[in-house]
Amino acid sequence: MTASIGADLAVTRAEYCVIACAEAWRGDGEVLAAAMGTIPTLGARLAKLTFAPDLLITDGEAQLAADVPALGAAPAAVEGALPYRKHLELVAMGHRHVMMGASQLDRHGNQNISAIGDWSRPTRQLLGMRGAPGNTVNNPTSYWIPRHSPRVFVPGTVDVVSGVGYGRLHGAAARFQDLRRIVTDLAVLDFGGDGHAIRLLSVHPGVTVDQVIAATGFPLVLPSDIASTRAPSAEELRLIREVLDPRGARDREVRG
């Protein structure tokens, strides 16, 4: 599905997702953008090139990039080293905004990337806890879901809590918890409902609110003014297509 922003500019669903991911870092200032996935990586790099010049990005390994390279390319200039121990220090100090994936998410943002089924005898082993617990209690966290479905947005609770959602931390333990946005191939959501329940913010062009509801396993909070996800400007579209992702990797993560 494509939508038009001009007579000769047709925007793909993947490009709307890139824009929505970029917006997750708006206003963050000088923090590390830790993007997991093709489209979140493009979003972070687009944000740095446009409205968030102070954002810090890495080469995907152990260096801070001074420029903004295309996907798969090494940075032409490096402004600092970022070994793993330093990266973990940024996590502990809250100086990082991560956009993770999720195999399951429940209504209050508990994330599962560890296993499916009963913990004592799971039916499927996944990544494991990884850094999800620390991410979700110490620094801003958003999520990228390339396939919005009830298998991801599950009714009840997730099978294993890897990333900590709202309502599980209390007192001083909750003071730095900051779950921000969820971007999917259908919509943009946040945690703005009562008790930090997941709320629908916008749907991508070509998607209806009913489609999002049907693809979600729990009741969504629905504001009265559900917007359409903003379109990229002509310059943002040029940067995505010609500078950041000339090979079109984005369209392999989200088709249409």
Side-chain angles (χ1 to χ4, degrees):
M1 179 67 69
T2 61
S4 177
I5 63 168
D8 58 353
L9 295 176
V11 183
T12 67
R13 179 74 59 80
E15 289 162 345
Y16 277 103
C17 292
V18 171
I19 289 294
C21 286
E23 287 290 343
W25 282 284
R26 185 181 287 275
D28 275 1
E30 192 178 37
V31 301
L32 178 66
M36 301 179 186
T38 296
I39 283 178
T41 298
L42 290 170
R45 295 181 181 188
L46 181 66
K48 182 173 177 63
L49 283 174
T50 54
F51 55 78
D54 293 334
L55 205 61
L56 304 177
I57 62 172
T58 75
D59 64 350
E61 294 186 10
Q63 295 177 322
L64 287 170
D67 61 338
V68 183
L71 284 182
V78 174
E79 64 181 2
L82 191 70
Y84 199 58
R85 65 183 181 275
K86 192 67 176 179
H87 200 137
L88 291 178
E89 182 180 307
L90 290 174
V91 175
M93 296 177 65
H95 294 160
R96 185 182 77 148
H97 182 172
V98 62
M99 183 171 278
M100 296 192 290
S103 299
Q104 294 180 328
L105 275 174
D106 68 23
R107 190 166 183 255
H108 294 283
N110 292 291
Q111 171 229 38
N112 177 19
I113 53 171
S114 187
I116 301 297
D118 185 83
W119 174 252
S120 63
R121 195 175 179 85
T123 59
R124 188 172 302 167
Q125 179 66 53
L126 304 174
L127 291 172
M129 296 294 181
R130 309 284 290 187
N135 291 343
T136 49
V137 301
N138 284 329
N139 55 197
T141 299
S142 295
Y143 288 105
W144 161 240
I145 309 296
R147 300 288 182 271
H148 191 137
S149 78
R151 292 180 63 181
V152 178
F153 292 92
V154 296
T157 58
V158 299
D159 293 341
V160 180
V161 176
S162 305
V164 183
Y166 284 111
R168 286 182 175 270
L169 300 175
H170 303 283
R175 67 190 185 279
F176 298 125
Q177 189 174 33
D178 186 9
L179 305 184
R180 295 267 183 96
R181 288 287 176 96
I182 307 168
V183 180
T184 81
D185 61 330
L186 300 182
V188 180
L189 310 99
D190 71 0
F191 298 89
D194 289 343
H196 298 288
I198 291 178
R199 174 179 64 176
L200 180 60
L201 290 182
S202 72
V203 295
H204 306 327
V207 178
T208 67
V209 172
D210 286 343
Q211 282 179 280
V212 179
I213 291 172
T216 307
F218 50 79
L220 286 169
V221 177
L222 301 175
S224 58
D225 55 344
I226 298 170
S228 180
T229 303
R230 86 162 177 90
S233 67
E235 175 61 10
E236 287 172 326
L237 206 56
R238 184 192 70 81
L239 290 170
I240 294 170
R241 294 177 177 180
E242 299 179 13
V243 176
L244 297 173
D245 188 25
R247 297 183 178 182
R250 61 194 179 279
D251 294 317
R252 293 191 289 274
E253 193 162 70
V254 171
R255 299 185 182 277

